[in-house]
Amino acid sequence: GENVEQHPSTLSVQEGDSAVIKCTYSDSASNYFPWYKQELGKRPQLIIDIRSNVGEKKDQRIAVTLNKTAKHFSLHITETQPEDSAVYFCAAISYGGATNKLIFGTGTLLAVQP
Amino acid sequence: NAGVTQTPKFRVLKTGQSMTLLCAQDMNHEYMYWYRQDPGMGLRLIHYSVGEGTTAKGEVPDGYNVSRLKKQNFLLGLESAAPSQTSVYFCASTRTGVYYGYTFGSGTRLTVV
């Protein structure tokens, strides 16, 4: 089955700096890679996603890149702000299959220092 | 349109007690999932369902049972709770067809003492 590894587990940056979180996946059939942000005590919220036929996607200050050959994808947050502080999860799924199971990485706690 | 609703939100159980967590969705989604979230371990899939009347095991199914008698409801049962089942439980749903993210419930914080 799919296995998703995520690094680093914790990340501390100064406000205004960039943050990068990296994930690798094992199942070459995975074709959809969402990123979730989870604030303390809240449910995970989708912030950006990328499909396997796309190499990069941007949405304002956040971007995701995908390297299918190497089976890794990354989240990039530029000009970080204190409200970006949260736990971020990457995930992988083989969409359109029989189960649509989403497998998550172990999460990255991002702390943005003012 | 409430999305995905989980009940209860909090619960404290004694070891050996049983309980059922309810997940209800009003989006007519075919797929439903139960995850548990523990510090440093992310969200791990317990059980899932690809349609009414069907269930299957995920990564960590031991100690849990599920049922999906109605399309909109997915129940997670603990027959004999253990302290190792202390966790935050999230239900999620999604639909077939085009790429579509999961919709998560607000979570149930369960403590087993």
Side-chain angles (χ1 to χ4, degrees):
Chain A
E2 176 65 278
N3 182 52
V4 178
E5 295 189 357
Q6 182 171 349
H7 300 280
S9 56
T10 60
L11 180 59
S12 181
V13 300
Q14 292 294 318
E15 182 176 358
D17 287 350
S18 295
V20 180
I21 302 170
K22 298 181 179 181
C23 291
T24 60
Y25 63 98
S26 61
D27 188 352
S28 57
S30 291
N31 55 15
Y32 175 69
F33 306 91
W35 286 88
Y36 287 85
K37 176 183 180 182
Q38 186 179 32
E39 297 176 346
L40 188 62
K42 301 289 183 63
R43 75 190 77 187
Q45 297 277 8
L46 179 69
I47 56 171
I48 195 168
D49 55 20
I50 191 167
R51 303 177 189 180
S52 58
N53 60 347
V54 175
E56 184 176 5
K57 183 178 179 180
K58 291 183 179 179
D59 183 3
Q60 299 182 340
R61 295 187 296 108
I62 61 173
V64 58
T65 59
L66 171 65
N67 183 326
K68 283 176 56 181
T69 302
K71 294 183 188 172
H72 65 70
F73 56 113
S74 300
L75 178 71
H76 304 253
I77 306 175
T78 58
E79 301 174 17
T80 53
Q81 301 167 3
E83 52 264 38
D84 294 329
S85 296
V87 178
Y88 291 81
F89 292 98
C90 63
I93 188 173
S94 177
Y95 234 112
T99 65
N100 284 356
K101 288 189 294 181
L102 197 59
I103 303 301
F104 288 86
T106 50
T108 296
L109 175 61
L110 174 64
V112 180
Q113 308 298 331
Chain B
N1 188 336
V4 178
T5 303
Q6 287 184 237
T7 53
K9 295 188 185 304
F10 303 94
R11 185 73 184 270
V12 178
L13 282 180
K14 292 183 179 179
T15 298
Q17 286 186 320
S18 62
M19 77 164 295
T20 300
L21 283 68
L22 172 63
C23 176
Q25 53 94 3
D26 60 2
M27 299 169 288
N28 203 34
H29 285 174
E30 292 83 5
Y31 299 95
M32 297 187 73
Y33 308 84
W34 276 107
Y35 288 88
R36 61 177 288 173
Q37 184 175 26
D38 303 292
M41 304 188 76
L43 291 97
R44 293 181 292 167
L45 184 62
I46 305 171
H47 285 281
Y48 63 98
S49 169
V50 301
E52 180 179 322
T54 71
T55 62
K57 295 179 180 179
E59 301 170 85
V60 287
D62 293 344
Y64 305 95
N65 57 76
V66 288
S67 65
R68 192 157 177 213
L69 300 179
K70 294 183 179 180
K71 185 177 184 179
Q72 63 268 34
N73 296 336
F74 194 28
L75 279 64
L76 178 70
L78 287 73
E79 291 187 347
S80 179
S84 60
Q85 294 178 304
T86 294
S87 188
V88 179
Y89 292 85
F90 285 99
C91 175
S93 69
T94 191
R95 67 187 191 197
T96 57
V98 299
Y99 295 102
Y100 189 79
Y102 277 24
T103 301
F104 279 91
S106 58
T108 296
R109 182 172 295 276
L110 174 66
T111 302
V112 182
V113 298

